[in-house]
Amino acid sequence: MNMSLQGRTYVVMGVANKRSIAWGIAQSLHNAGARLIFTYAAERFEKSVRDLAATLEGGEESLFYQCDVTDDENIMETFQQIQNDVGVIHGLAHCIAFANKEELKGDFLNTSRDGFLTAHNISSYSLTAVSRAVQPLMSEGGGIVTLTYLGGERVVPNYNVMGVAKASLDASVKYLAESLGKHGIRVNAISAGPIRTLSAKGVGDFNSILKDIEERAPLRRPTTQEEVGDTAYFLLSDFSRGVTGEMIHVDSGFHIIG
Ligand code: NDP
Ligand code: N5H
C-alpha cells in the first residue's frame, strides 16, 4: 500500500485564511498528490482561498465553490456542480463551526434558544447534511473527517454552547459511520488542541490556555496546523482503512491529563 493520494480528489470545507486548520489539511493532502476542491461560505473569503491555493504547486487545478452549510439548496447545488465538474470524490474534510460571540463567555446557563440552534445548525447538523450530499459522489468509497474539541467531552470554561454542539457532532460521527460504512465510506473526527485561528481570535483567554498546554500537556507544546493536517491525511488515506466512527486527539496528549 502506498500513501500517495495521486489521482484522488478531496473536498476541503472551511478555509478562511492561512491560519485555518482546513488550510493545514489542504497542504497535507496536496503534498500527498491529491487534487483539491475548496468550499467557502462568505464571498469575502473567496479571494483569500483562491490566493492561498495558488501558492500550491499545481494549485491552479484546484476548484472553488461557495457553500453556506445553513442552506440545504446551496449544499445540494454545490455537490451537484462538483459532480458535473469532476465526477468522483474520494474524501471530504469538514472544518466548520460557528457560535455567536456572546454565547462563548460567561455562564452556559444563559445560552439562548437562538444561540443554541445556530451553534448546532452550523457546527453539528452541517456534517450530516454535507455527508448526505457527498455520498453519491463517493462511489469508490473514501473518508470524511471533521474537527472537534475537548470541550465536547468535558466542561471547558467559555466553550459553553459550542461544547454541547461538539458533543452532538461527535455522536453524529458515530451514527454517520454506521450509515455510510455499507457504502465503503468512513467517518472520523480529529480532536485538535487549541490553535490560534480566526475563529479562536477574541474568544476566551487564549494565551493562558496555550500556557497551560505548554506546562501540562505530555508533549509540552501547542498543536500545529501541520500535525492536524497529517492526521487528516492518514484518516483520508487507505492506511486508516479499518478505522471509522473514531475520534483521534491531536492535542499533544492534553486530553489524558486530569
Ligand atoms: P477558521 O476561522 O479558520 O475556520 C472556521 C470556518 O468555518 C471558516 O472558514 C468559516 O467560513 C466556516 N463557517 C462558518 N459558518 C459557516 C457556514 N454557515 N457555512 C460554511 N462555512 C462556515 O477556524 P478553525 O480553523 O479554528 O476552525 C475549523 C474547525 O476546527 C472548527 O470546527 C473548530 O471548531 C475546530 N477546532 C478548532 C480549534 C482551534 O483551536 N482553532 C480546536 C479544535 C477544533 P467563512 O469564514 O467563509 O464563513
Ligand atoms: C475554550 C476555548 C476558548 C473560548 C471559546 C471559543 C470557541 C470557538 C469556536 C467558535 C467556532 C468561534 C466562533 O464562532 C467565533 C465567531 O463568533 C466570530 N468569528 C467569526 O465570525 C469569524 C470571522 C469566522 C471566520 O469564524 C467562524 N467560525 O465562522 C476554545 C479554544 C481553546 C479552542 C477553539 C478555538 C476551539 C474551536 O472549536 O474553534
Side-chain angles (χ1 to χ4, degrees):
M1 181 155 313
N2 81 66
M3 274 296 258
S4 170
L5 299 181
Q6 208 98 43
R8 297 202 183 170
T9 307
Y10 293 86
V11 179
V12 178
M13 310 185 79
V15 176
N17 60 26
K18 70 173 196 302
R19 287 171 180 267
S20 295
I21 298 178
W23 179 239
I25 295 176
Q27 286 173 291
S28 292
L29 298 177
H30 171 81
N31 291 339
R35 178 188 189 193
L36 299 178
I37 294 177
F38 294 94
T39 74
Y40 52 89
E43 296 291 348
R44 72 179 190 284
F45 286 116
E46 178 175 357
K47 184 172 178 339
S48 160
V49 179
R50 284 184 181 272
D51 289 352
L52 275 174
T55 65
L56 300 172
E57 203 187 315
E60 48 289 347
E61 273 189 47
S62 303
L63 295 169
F64 306 87
Y65 302 87
Q66 189 269 336
C67 184
D68 176 347
V69 297
T70 61
D71 181 344
D72 281 329
E73 220 171 286
N74 191 189
I75 294 174
M76 278 308 158
E77 281 166 8
T78 301
F79 285 92
Q80 189 62 60
Q81 198 58 53
I82 293 174
Q83 185 158 37
N84 294 344
D85 295 345
V86 302
V88 178
I89 293 296
H90 300 92
L92 179 141
H94 170 279
C95 315
I96 291 171
F98 182 86
N100 298 323
K101 239 178 175 157
E102 318 75 82
E103 317 269 0
L104 299 171
K105 59 185 173 208
D107 199 329
F108 171 73
L109 188 64
N110 296 325
T111 303
S112 69
R113 187 182 301 272
D114 257 12
F116 186 95
L117 293 175
T118 296
H120 283 70
N121 187 16
I122 300 179
S123 317
S124 175
Y125 179 69
S126 63
L127 180 68
T128 297
V130 163
S131 296
R132 195 166 56 246
V134 79
Q135 187 234 308
L137 285 70
M138 293 182 65
S139 51
E140 297 173 7
I144 295 173
V145 165
T146 189
L147 295 172
T148 188
Y149 178 61
L150 188 62
E153 300 175 80
R154 332 180 177 151
V155 175
V156 173
N158 301 316
Y159 203 59
N160 294 2
V161 70
M162 189 52 69
V164 183
K166 288 301 193 193
S168 158
L169 177 73
D170 299 349
S172 302
V173 165
K174 297 175 193 172
Y175 279 91
L176 289 170
E178 201 289 319
S179 288
L180 294 172
K182 52 183 164 304
H183 301 291
I185 301 171
R186 299 180 291 105
V187 186
N188 293 291
I190 296 173
S191 181
I195 298 178
R196 211 183 283 276
T197 60
L198 189 55
S199 279
K201 219 171 146 181
V203 283
D205 182 1
F206 213 73
N207 286 339
S208 67
I209 292 169
L210 284 183
K211 191 163 166 270
D212 194 36
I213 303 274
E214 277 162 12
E215 283 170 4
R216 298 199 304 128
L219 297 179
R220 305 285 197 278
R221 58 177 162 76
T223 302
T224 68
Q225 239 180 349
E226 291 75 19
E227 289 170 347
V228 178
D230 286 348
T231 298
Y233 165 29
F234 163 71
L235 287 173
L236 294 173
S237 79
D238 296 344
F239 270 65
S240 61
R241 63 194 177 283
V243 181
T244 194
E246 188 60 276
M247 180 197 294
I248 302 185
H249 293 85
V250 181
D251 66 347
S252 296
F254 188 75
H255 68 285
I256 66 167
I257 301 298

